[in-house]
Amino acid sequence: MQTLYKDLVKHFGGQKLTAAALDVSQSNISGYVSGRWNMSELVAIRAEKVTGGKFKASDLCPSLKEFQRVTA
C-alpha cells in the first residue's frame, strides 16, 4: 500500500502538490506514505477522479475493496 501512495505522490510531483490536488494537508499525505494510516474513502475517490483513473479508489482505500466484495 505504501508503494502505491508513493507512486501517487510521484505522479503529482511531491507531497505538497499531492495534498493540494486531493484537498488534504501535507501531513495527511505523509501519514499515508509512512504507513501511519490509510486513505479515507472520500480522498481515495477524489484521487481517482483527479488522476483520470490512473489510481483506482479501491486500490488506495482498503475499505472500498471490502465494500466492492460485499456488494458484488
Coordinates of all heavy atoms in Angstrom, one line a residue:
M1 N 0.8 -1.2 0.0 CA 0.0 0.0 0.0 C 0.9 1.3 0.0 O 0.6 2.2 -0.7 CB -0.9 0.0 1.2 CG -1.9 1.1 1.2 SD -3.1 1.1 -0.1 CE -4.3 -0.1 0.6
Q2 N 1.9 1.3 0.8 CA 2.8 2.4 0.9 C 3.4 2.8 -0.5 O 3.5 3.9 -0.8 CB 3.9 2.2 1.9 CG 3.4 2.2 3.3 CD 4.4 1.8 4.3 OE1 5.0 0.8 4.1 NE2 4.7 2.6 5.3
T3 N 3.7 1.7 -1.2 CA 4.3 2.0 -2.6 C 3.3 2.7 -3.5 O 3.7 3.6 -4.2 CB 4.7 0.6 -3.2 OG1 5.7 0.0 -2.3 CG2 5.3 0.8 -4.6
L4 N 2.1 2.3 -3.4 CA 1.0 2.9 -4.2 C 0.9 4.4 -3.8 O 0.8 5.3 -4.7 CB -0.3 2.2 -4.0 CG -1.5 2.7 -4.9 CD1 -1.1 2.6 -6.3 CD2 -2.7 1.9 -4.5
Y5 N 0.9 4.7 -2.5 CA 0.9 6.1 -2.1 C 2.1 6.9 -2.6 O 2.0 8.0 -3.0 CB 0.8 6.2 -0.6 CG -0.5 5.7 0.0 CD1 -0.5 5.0 1.2 CD2 -1.7 5.8 -0.7 CE1 -1.7 4.6 1.8 CE2 -2.9 5.3 -0.1 CZ -2.9 4.7 1.1 OH -4.1 4.3 1.7
K6 N 3.3 6.2 -2.5 CA 4.5 6.9 -3.0 C 4.4 7.2 -4.5 O 4.8 8.2 -5.0 CB 5.7 6.0 -2.7 CG 6.1 6.0 -1.3 CD 7.3 5.1 -1.0 CE 7.6 5.0 0.5 NZ 8.7 4.1 0.7
D7 N 3.8 6.2 -5.3 CA 3.6 6.4 -6.7 C 2.6 7.6 -6.9 O 2.8 8.3 -7.9 CB 3.0 5.1 -7.3 CG 4.0 4.0 -7.4 OD1 5.2 4.3 -7.2 OD2 3.6 2.9 -7.6
L8 N 1.6 7.7 -6.1 CA 0.6 8.8 -6.2 C 1.4 10.1 -6.0 O 1.2 11.1 -6.8 CB -0.5 8.6 -5.2 CG -1.6 9.7 -5.2 CD1 -2.4 9.7 -6.5 CD2 -2.6 9.5 -4.0
V9 N 2.2 10.2 -5.0 CA 3.0 11.4 -4.7 C 3.9 11.7 -5.9 O 4.0 12.9 -6.3 CB 3.8 11.3 -3.4 CG1 4.8 12.4 -3.3 CG2 2.8 11.2 -2.2
K10 N 4.5 10.7 -6.5 CA 5.4 10.9 -7.6 C 4.6 11.4 -8.8 O 5.1 12.3 -9.5 CB 6.1 9.6 -8.0 CG 7.1 9.7 -9.0 CD 7.8 8.3 -9.2 CE 8.8 8.4 -10.3 NZ 9.5 7.1 -10.6
H11 N 3.4 10.9 -9.0 CA 2.5 11.4 -10.1 C 2.3 12.9 -10.0 O 2.3 13.6 -11.0 CB 1.2 10.6 -10.0 CG 0.1 11.1 -10.9 ND1 0.1 10.8 -12.2 CD2 -0.9 12.0 -10.7 CE1 -0.9 11.4 -12.8 NE2 -1.5 12.1 -11.9
F12 N 2.1 13.4 -8.8 CA 1.8 14.8 -8.6 C 3.1 15.7 -8.5 O 3.0 16.9 -8.6 CB 0.9 15.1 -7.4 CG -0.5 14.7 -7.7 CD1 -1.1 13.6 -7.1 CD2 -1.3 15.5 -8.6 CE1 -2.4 13.2 -7.4 CE2 -2.6 15.1 -8.8 CZ -3.2 14.0 -8.3
G13 N 4.2 15.0 -8.2 CA 5.5 15.8 -8.1 C 5.8 16.2 -6.7 O 6.6 17.2 -6.5
G14 N 5.3 15.6 -5.7 CA 5.7 15.9 -4.3 C 4.5 15.9 -3.4 O 3.3 15.9 -3.8
Q15 N 4.8 15.8 -2.1 CA 3.7 15.7 -1.1 C 2.8 16.9 -1.0 O 1.6 16.8 -0.9 CB 4.3 15.4 0.3 CG 4.8 14.0 0.4 CD 5.1 13.6 1.8 OE1 4.8 14.3 2.8 NE2 5.8 12.5 2.0
K16 N 3.4 18.1 -1.1 CA 2.6 19.4 -1.1 C 1.7 19.4 -2.3 O 0.5 19.8 -2.1 CB 3.5 20.6 -1.0 CG 4.2 20.8 0.3 CD 5.0 22.0 0.4 CE 5.7 22.2 1.7 NZ 6.5 23.4 1.8
L17 N 2.2 19.1 -3.5 CA 1.3 19.1 -4.7 C 0.2 18.1 -4.6 O -0.9 18.3 -5.0 CB 2.2 19.0 -5.9 CG 3.2 20.1 -6.2 CD1 4.1 19.7 -7.3 CD2 2.4 21.4 -6.5
T18 N 0.6 16.9 -4.1 CA -0.4 15.9 -3.9 C -1.5 16.3 -2.9 O -2.7 16.2 -3.2 CB 0.2 14.6 -3.4 OG1 1.3 14.2 -4.3 CG2 -0.8 13.4 -3.3
A19 N -1.1 16.9 -1.8 CA -2.0 17.4 -0.8 C -3.0 18.5 -1.4 O -4.2 18.4 -1.2 CB -1.3 18.0 0.4
A20 N -2.4 19.4 -2.2 CA -3.2 20.4 -2.9 C -4.2 19.8 -3.8 O -5.4 20.2 -3.9 CB -2.4 21.4 -3.6
A21 N -3.8 18.8 -4.6 CA -4.7 18.2 -5.6 C -5.8 17.4 -4.9 O -6.9 17.3 -5.5 CB -3.8 17.2 -6.5
L22 N -5.5 16.8 -3.8 CA -6.5 16.0 -3.1 C -7.3 16.8 -2.0 O -8.1 16.2 -1.3 CB -5.9 14.8 -2.5 CG -5.1 13.9 -3.5 CD1 -4.6 12.6 -2.8 CD2 -6.1 13.4 -4.6
D23 N -6.9 18.0 -1.8 CA -7.6 18.9 -0.8 C -7.4 18.3 0.6 O -8.4 18.2 1.4 CB -9.0 19.1 -1.2 CG -9.7 20.3 -0.4 OD1 -8.9 21.2 0.0 OD2 -10.9 20.3 -0.2
V24 N -6.2 17.9 0.9 CA -5.9 17.5 2.3 C -4.6 18.1 2.7 O -4.0 18.8 1.9 CB -5.7 15.9 2.4 CG1 -7.0 15.2 2.0 CG2 -4.6 15.4 1.5
S25 N -4.2 18.0 3.9 CA -2.9 18.5 4.4 C -1.8 17.7 4.0 O -1.9 16.5 3.7 CB -2.9 18.7 5.9 OG -2.8 17.4 6.5
Q26 N -0.6 18.3 3.9 CA 0.6 17.6 3.6 C 0.9 16.5 4.6 O 1.4 15.5 4.3 CB 1.8 18.6 3.5 CG 3.1 17.9 3.1 CD 3.9 17.4 4.3 OE1 3.9 17.9 5.4 NE2 4.6 16.3 4.1
S27 N 0.5 16.8 5.9 CA 0.7 15.8 6.9 C -0.1 14.5 6.7 O 0.3 13.4 7.1 CB 0.5 16.4 8.3 OG -0.8 16.8 8.5
N28 N -1.3 14.7 6.1 CA -2.1 13.5 5.7 C -1.3 12.7 4.7 O -1.2 11.5 4.9 CB -3.4 13.9 5.1 CG -4.4 14.3 6.2 OD1 -4.2 15.1 7.0 ND2 -5.6 13.6 6.1
I29 N -0.8 13.3 3.7 CA 0.0 12.6 2.7 C 1.2 11.9 3.3 O 1.4 10.7 3.0 CB 0.4 13.6 1.6 CG1 -0.8 14.3 0.9 CG2 1.3 12.8 0.5 CD1 -1.8 13.4 0.3
S30 N 1.9 12.6 4.2 CA 3.0 12.0 4.9 C 2.6 10.7 5.7 O 3.3 9.7 5.7 CB 3.6 13.0 5.8 OG 4.7 12.4 6.6
G31 N 1.4 10.8 6.3 CA 0.9 9.7 7.0 C 0.6 8.5 6.1 O 0.8 7.3 6.5
Y32 N 0.0 8.8 5.0 CA -0.2 7.7 4.0 C 1.1 7.0 3.6 O 1.2 5.8 3.6 CB -1.0 8.2 2.7 CG -2.2 9.0 2.9 CD1 -2.6 10.0 2.1 CD2 -3.1 8.7 4.0 CE1 -3.7 10.7 2.2 CE2 -4.3 9.4 4.1 CZ -4.6 10.4 3.3 OH -5.7 11.1 3.4
V33 N 2.0 7.8 3.2 CA 3.3 7.3 2.7 C 4.1 6.5 3.7 O 4.7 5.5 3.4 CB 4.1 8.5 2.1 CG1 5.5 8.0 1.7 CG2 3.4 9.1 0.8
S34 N 4.0 7.0 5.0 CA 4.8 6.3 6.0 C 4.1 5.1 6.6 O 4.6 4.4 7.3 CB 5.1 7.3 7.2 OG 3.8 7.7 7.8
G35 N 2.8 4.9 6.2 CA 2.0 3.8 6.7 C 1.4 4.0 8.0 O 0.9 3.1 8.7
R36 N 1.3 5.3 8.5 CA 0.7 5.6 9.8 C -0.8 5.4 9.7 O -1.5 5.1 10.7 CB 1.0 7.0 10.3 CG 2.4 7.1 10.8 CD 2.7 8.4 11.3 NE 2.6 9.3 10.1 CZ 3.3 10.5 10.0 NH1 4.0 10.9 11.0 NH2 3.2 11.2 8.9
W37 N -1.4 5.7 8.5 CA -2.8 5.5 8.3 C -3.1 5.3 6.9 O -2.3 5.5 6.0 CB -3.7 6.6 8.9 CG -3.2 8.0 8.5 CD1 -3.4 8.6 7.2 CD2 -2.5 8.9 9.3 NE1 -2.8 9.8 7.2 CE2 -2.2 10.1 8.5 CE3 -2.0 8.9 10.6 CZ2 -1.6 11.2 8.9 CZ3 -1.3 10.1 11.0 CH2 -1.1 11.2 10.2
N38 N -4.3 4.8 6.6 CA -4.8 4.6 5.2 C -5.6 5.8 4.8 O -6.2 6.5 5.6 CB -5.6 3.3 5.1 CG -4.7 2.1 5.2 OD1 -3.6 2.0 4.7 ND2 -5.2 1.1 5.9
M39 N -5.8 5.9 3.5 CA -6.6 6.9 2.9 C -8.0 6.7 3.1 O -8.5 5.5 3.1 CB -6.2 7.0 1.4 CG -6.8 8.1 0.6 SD -6.2 8.1 -1.1 CE -4.5 8.8 -0.9
S40 N -8.8 7.7 3.4 CA -10.2 7.6 3.5 C -10.9 7.3 2.2 O -10.3 7.6 1.1 CB -10.8 8.9 4.2 OG -10.8 9.9 3.2
E41 N -12.1 6.9 2.3 CA -12.9 6.6 1.1 C -13.0 7.9 0.2 O -12.9 7.9 -1.0 CB -14.3 6.1 1.4 CG -14.3 4.7 2.0 CD -14.2 4.7 3.6 OE1 -13.9 5.8 4.2 OE2 -14.4 3.7 4.2
L42 N -13.4 9.0 0.9 CA -13.6 10.2 0.2 C -12.3 10.7 -0.6 O -12.4 11.1 -1.8 CB -14.1 11.3 1.1 CG -14.3 12.7 0.5 CD1 -15.4 12.7 -0.5 CD2 -14.6 13.7 1.6
V43 N -11.2 10.7 0.1 CA -10.0 11.1 -0.5 C -9.6 10.1 -1.6 O -9.1 10.6 -2.7 CB -8.8 11.2 0.5 CG1 -7.5 11.6 -0.1 CG2 -9.2 12.3 1.6
A44 N -9.8 8.9 -1.5 CA -9.4 7.9 -2.5 C -10.3 8.1 -3.7 O -9.8 8.0 -4.9 CB -9.6 6.5 -2.0
I45 N -11.5 8.4 -3.6 CA -12.4 8.7 -4.7 C -12.0 9.9 -5.4 O -11.9 10.0 -6.6 CB -13.9 8.7 -4.3 CG1 -14.4 7.3 -3.9 CG2 -14.8 9.3 -5.4 CD1 -15.7 7.3 -3.1
R46 N -11.6 10.9 -4.6 CA -11.1 12.2 -5.2 C -9.8 11.9 -6.0 O -9.6 12.5 -7.1 CB -10.8 13.2 -4.0 CG -10.7 14.6 -4.5 CD -10.5 15.5 -3.3 NE -11.6 15.5 -2.4 CZ -11.6 15.7 -1.1 NH1 -10.4 15.8 -0.5 NH2 -12.7 15.6 -0.4
A47 N -8.9 11.1 -5.4 CA -7.7 10.8 -6.1 C -7.9 10.1 -7.5 O -7.3 10.4 -8.5 CB -6.8 9.9 -5.2
E48 N -8.9 9.2 -7.5 CA -9.2 8.5 -8.8 C -9.7 9.5 -9.8 O -9.3 9.5 -10.9 CB -10.3 7.4 -8.5 CG -10.6 6.7 -9.8 CD -11.5 5.5 -9.6 OE1 -11.5 4.9 -8.5 OE2 -12.1 5.1 -10.6
K49 N -10.5 10.5 -9.3 CA -11.1 11.5 -10.3 C -10.0 12.4 -10.8 O -9.9 12.6 -12.0 CB -12.1 12.3 -9.6 CG -13.5 11.7 -9.4 CD -14.5 12.6 -8.8 CE -15.9 12.0 -8.8 NZ -16.9 12.9 -8.3
V50 N -9.1 12.9 -9.9 CA -8.2 13.9 -10.4 C -7.0 13.3 -11.1 O -6.3 14.0 -11.8 CB -7.6 14.8 -9.2 CG1 -8.7 15.6 -8.6 CG2 -6.8 14.0 -8.2
T51 N -6.8 12.0 -11.0 CA -5.8 11.3 -11.8 C -6.4 10.7 -13.1 O -5.7 10.0 -13.8 CB -5.0 10.2 -11.0 OG1 -6.0 9.2 -10.7 CG2 -4.4 10.8 -9.8
G52 N -7.6 10.9 -13.4 CA -8.3 10.4 -14.5 C -8.3 8.9 -14.5 O -8.3 8.2 -15.6
G53 N -8.4 8.3 -13.3 CA -8.5 6.8 -13.2 C -7.2 6.1 -13.2 O -7.1 4.9 -13.1
K54 N -6.1 6.8 -13.2 CA -4.7 6.2 -13.2 C -4.6 5.4 -11.9 O -4.0 4.3 -11.8 CB -3.6 7.2 -13.4 CG -2.3 6.6 -13.4 CD -1.2 7.6 -13.7 CE 0.2 6.9 -13.6 NZ 1.3 7.8 -13.9
F55 N -5.1 6.0 -10.8 CA -5.1 5.4 -9.5 C -6.5 5.1 -9.1 O -7.3 6.0 -9.0 CB -4.4 6.4 -8.4 CG -2.9 6.6 -8.7 CD1 -2.5 7.6 -9.6 CD2 -2.0 5.7 -8.1 CE1 -1.2 7.7 -9.8 CE2 -0.6 5.9 -8.3 CZ -0.2 6.9 -9.2
K56 N -6.8 3.9 -8.8 CA -8.2 3.5 -8.5 C -8.4 3.6 -7.0 O -7.6 3.3 -6.2 CB -8.4 2.0 -8.9 CG -8.2 1.7 -10.4 CD -9.2 2.4 -11.2 CE -9.0 2.1 -12.7 NZ -9.7 3.0 -13.5
A57 N -9.6 4.2 -6.7 CA -10.0 4.4 -5.3 C -10.0 3.1 -4.5 O -9.5 3.1 -3.4 CB -11.4 5.0 -5.3
S58 N -10.4 2.0 -5.1 CA -10.4 0.7 -4.4 C -9.0 0.2 -4.1 O -8.9 -0.6 -3.2 CB -11.2 -0.3 -5.2 OG -10.6 -0.5 -6.5
D59 N -8.0 0.7 -4.9 CA -6.7 0.3 -4.6 C -6.1 1.2 -3.5 O -5.2 0.7 -2.7 CB -5.8 0.4 -5.8 CG -6.2 -0.6 -6.9 OD1 -6.7 -1.7 -6.5 OD2 -5.9 -0.3 -8.1
L60 N -6.5 2.4 -3.4 CA -6.0 3.4 -2.5 C -6.6 3.2 -1.1 O -6.0 3.6 -0.1 CB -6.2 4.8 -3.0 CG -5.4 5.2 -4.2 CD1 -5.9 6.5 -4.8 CD2 -3.9 5.3 -3.9
C61 N -7.8 2.7 -1.0 CA -8.6 2.6 0.2 C -9.1 1.2 0.5 O -10.0 0.7 -0.2 CB -9.7 3.6 0.2 SG -10.7 3.5 1.7
P62 N -8.5 0.4 1.4 CA -8.8 -1.0 1.6 C -10.3 -1.2 1.9 O -10.9 -2.2 1.5 CB -8.0 -1.4 2.8 CG -6.8 -0.4 2.8 CD -7.4 0.8 2.2
S63 N -11.0 -0.3 2.6 CA -12.4 -0.5 2.9 C -13.3 -0.4 1.7 O -14.3 -1.1 1.6 CB -12.9 0.6 3.9 OG -12.8 1.9 3.4
L64 N -12.8 0.3 0.6 CA -13.6 0.2 -0.6 C -13.5 -1.1 -1.3 O -14.5 -1.5 -1.9 CB -13.1 1.3 -1.6 CG -13.5 2.8 -1.2 CD1 -12.8 3.8 -2.1 CD2 -15.0 2.9 -1.2
K65 N -12.4 -1.8 -1.2 CA -12.3 -3.1 -1.7 C -13.2 -4.1 -1.0 O -13.9 -4.9 -1.7 CB -10.8 -3.7 -1.6 CG -9.9 -3.2 -2.7 CD -8.6 -4.0 -2.7 CE -7.8 -3.5 -3.9 NZ -6.6 -4.1 -4.0
E66 N -13.3 -3.9 0.3 CA -14.2 -4.8 1.1 C -15.7 -4.5 0.7 O -16.5 -5.4 0.5 CB -14.0 -4.5 2.5 CG -14.9 -5.4 3.4 CD -14.7 -6.9 3.3 OE1 -13.6 -7.3 2.9 OE2 -15.6 -7.6 3.7
F67 N -16.0 -3.2 0.5 CA -17.3 -2.8 0.1 C -17.7 -3.4 -1.3 O -18.8 -4.0 -1.5 CB -17.5 -1.3 0.0 CG -18.8 -0.8 -0.5 CD1 -19.9 -0.9 0.4 CD2 -19.0 -0.4 -1.8 CE1 -21.1 -0.4 0.0 CE2 -20.2 0.1 -2.2 CZ -21.3 0.0 -1.3
Q68 N -16.7 -3.4 -2.2 CA -16.9 -4.0 -3.6 C -17.2 -5.5 -3.5 O -18.0 -6.0 -4.1 CB -15.8 -3.7 -4.5 CG -15.7 -2.3 -5.0 CD -14.5 -2.1 -5.9 OE1 -13.5 -2.7 -5.8 NE2 -14.7 -1.1 -6.8
R69 N -16.4 -6.1 -2.6 CA -16.5 -7.6 -2.4 C -17.9 -7.9 -1.9 O -18.6 -8.9 -2.3 CB -15.5 -8.1 -1.5 CG -15.4 -9.6 -1.4 CD -14.5 -10.1 -0.3 NE -14.9 -9.7 1.1 CZ -15.9 -10.3 1.7 NH1 -16.6 -11.3 1.2 NH2 -16.2 -10.0 3.0
V70 N -18.4 -7.2 -0.9 CA -19.6 -7.5 -0.2 C -20.8 -7.2 -1.2 O -21.8 -7.9 -1.2 CB -19.8 -6.6 1.1 CG1 -21.2 -6.7 1.7 CG2 -18.8 -7.1 2.1
T71 N -20.7 -6.2 -2.0 CA -21.8 -5.8 -2.8 C -21.8 -6.5 -4.2 O -22.8 -6.3 -5.0 CB -21.8 -4.3 -3.1 OG1 -20.6 -3.9 -3.7 CG2 -22.1 -3.5 -1.8
A72 N -20.8 -7.2 -4.5 CA -20.7 -7.9 -5.8 C -21.6 -9.1 -5.8 O -22.0 -9.7 -4.9 CB -19.3 -8.3 -6.1

